[in-house]
Each structure stands twice: as structure tokens, then as C-alpha cells.
């Protein structure tokens, strides 16, 4: 068995969950926060047999778009006055960040 861990944009979650559950995949949704932007995103856990991993990734791909998002630079630049001025930067977030890991044991009690 494999565990697909997908970090996705909050705006993509609803249709993605609909699609996964309609195809009978079991999903757990976690509210998470990206370390770089420090804004909310969503992490989905999907436990599946190995043969279904590609299908899950395909469904994630179909439902998740990449977006341009503004952030404040984590390393402010120093101006001529020596004052540190944070400046806005644009980053491309997603479609999705996906990890696939082996599940050593799966038990339902
Ligand atoms: P964040 O850490 O908030 O990152 C948001 C976006 O900022 C990233 O989009 C990337 O475009 C940019 N970014 C991140 N770290 C950067 C850095 N050190 N320098 C310049 N730009 C940087 P994505 O790559 O699509 O990642 C979206 C979210 O997925 C991340 O949110 C994070 O929550 C998660 N993620 C991505 N890669 C990960 C990894 N290797 N391990 C754990 N979580 C990861």
C-alpha cells in the first residue's frame, strides 16, 4: 500500500475532494501552512494500493492549477539609510506538491 500526500491550494480542494471521493478513494484533509508564504494550504492524505497511485496523481493534476501569488521577501533589503525595507515578490504556487510513500502497515480497528 502507498500513501499519497498532496499539498494543494485551498481553492482547488473542493472539486478535487469531490472527484477523489466520487471515484471511491478515501481521503483525509488537513489544514496546513506553507513555510515560505506562511499562508494556508491544504494537505490531502490518500491511502491506496500501488496500482492506483498514477490514477490519484492524474486526478490531482486535473484539478489543481498553478497560481501567481504575492509574498513579502523573507530577507528585506537595506536601503541607503540603513533601514530595512521588505519588498513584494511574486511566486508561482502549485498546481500541487505530491509525495508518494510506502505504508508499512495499514490497520483499521
Ligand atoms: P510555501 O512553503 O508557502 O511555498 C509557496 C511557494 O513559494 C512555492 O510553491 C514556491 O513557488 C515558493 N517558494 C517556496 N520556498 C521558496 C524558497 N526557498 N525560495 C523561493 N521561492 C520559494 P510550491 O513549490 O508549489 O509549494 C507549495 C507549498 O507546498 C509550499 O508552500 C509548502 O507548503 C509545500 N511544499 C512544497 N515543497 C515542499 C517540500 N519539499 N517539502 C514540504 N512541503 C513542500
Amino acid at each position: 500500500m502507498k500513501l499519497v500526500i498532496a499539498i494543494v491550494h485551498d481553492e482547488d480542494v473542493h472539486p478535487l475532494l469531490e472527484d477523489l471521493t466520487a471515484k471511491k478513494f478515501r481521503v483525509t484533509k488537513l489544514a496546513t501552512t506553507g513555510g515560505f508564504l506562511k499562508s494556508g494550504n491544504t494537505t490531502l492524505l490518500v491511502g491506496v494500493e500501488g496500482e492506483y497511485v498514477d490514477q490519484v496523481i492524474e486526478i490531482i493534476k486535473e484539478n489543481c492549477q498553478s497560481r501567481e501569488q504575492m509574498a513579502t521577501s523573507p530577507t528585506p533589503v537595506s536601503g541607503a539609510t540603513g533601514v530595512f525595507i521588505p519588498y513584494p515578490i511574486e511566486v508561482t504556487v502549485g498546481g500541487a506538491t505530491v509525495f508518494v510513500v510506502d505504508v508499512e502497515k495499514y490497520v483499521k480497528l
Side-chain angles (χ1 to χ4, degrees):
M1 187 176 211
K2 305 280 183 186
L3 181 65
V4 180
I5 303 169
I7 303 163
V8 303
H9 200 283
D10 288 348
E11 287 172 29
D12 293 327
V13 172
H14 190 69
L16 176 55
L17 276 180
E18 294 278 301
D19 217 349
L20 285 169
T21 52
K23 288 175 175 123
K24 310 289 179 214
F25 292 110
R26 293 176 178 215
V27 191
T28 295
K29 171 179 171 289
L30 306 173
T32 47
T33 303
F36 187 70
L37 295 180
K38 296 176 183 61
S39 63
N41 54 27
T42 298
T43 299
L44 299 181
L45 306 179
V46 190
V48 287
E49 294 305 330
E51 68 217 72
Y52 294 109
V53 166
D54 288 342
Q55 191 185 346
V56 169
I57 291 173
E58 195 52 41
I59 294 169
I60 295 169
K61 204 163 138 189
E62 283 165 10
N63 284 281
C64 296
Q65 327 163 6
S66 66
R67 292 176 175 81
E68 302 303 318
Q69 211 160 311
M70 295 308 291
T72 303
S73 163
T75 45
V77 285
S78 176
T81 58
V83 177
F84 284 83
I85 310 161
Y87 61 96
I89 52 168
E90 196 174 56
V91 293
T92 305
V93 183
T97 299
V98 179
F99 302 89
V100 180
V101 295
D102 287 322
V103 174
E104 196 173 300
K105 197 185 262 191
Y106 172 60
V107 189
K108 294 184 74 175
L109 302 170

